[in-house]
Amino acid sequence: MIDKEKLERVYKEFLEEKIINYLAEVKKFSIRQAMDIYYRSRLSLQIHDGSFGIENMDYRYLVQDLIENEPELFS
């Protein structure tokens, strides 16, 4: 039997990994810099909380949304 909570946790971790790697690629940041930005973002809280089903969106869209809606993280 599959543990739904464990599956959701693994899915979110994989999503976060893809977001961090893509953010590093797009912005030419190190993985460490991208992790710092991501974990300080509202996006990370929304994914963790499962707000608005945001964790079901494409990681590339989520990175673009992060860049556009949380510019203070990049200054």
Side-chain angles (χ1 to χ4, degrees):
M1 180 149 221
I2 296 176
D3 181 346
K4 184 179 176 186
E5 288 180 19
K6 184 175 182 181
L7 184 61
E8 287 176 3
R9 187 175 57 250
V10 169
Y11 175 80
K12 286 179 183 180
E13 288 172 4
F14 186 59
L15 176 62
E16 289 178 324
E17 181 181 325
K18 291 195 298 189
I19 289 169
I20 291 165
N21 283 319
Y22 190 62
L23 179 60
E25 178 184 329
V26 168
K27 296 298 271 181
K28 308 290 188 245
F29 290 152
S30 70
I31 294 295
R32 184 177 297 271
Q33 289 172 303
M35 284 177 66
D36 180 58
I37 288 169
Y38 172 73
Y39 285 114
R40 289 187 295 122
S41 72
R42 291 185 304 273
L43 174 62
S44 70
L45 293 174
Q46 292 169 336
I47 289 173
H48 180 268
D49 295 341
S51 303
F52 314 109
I54 200 163
E55 71 276 6
N56 297 312
M57 296 180 157
D58 183 76
Y59 69 95
R60 292 168 291 229
Y61 170 81
L62 293 172
V63 167
Q64 291 304 318
D65 185 72
L66 173 64
I67 292 167
E68 291 173 17
N69 293 304
E70 299 190 58
E72 68 278 2
L73 294 172
F74 300 93
S75 26

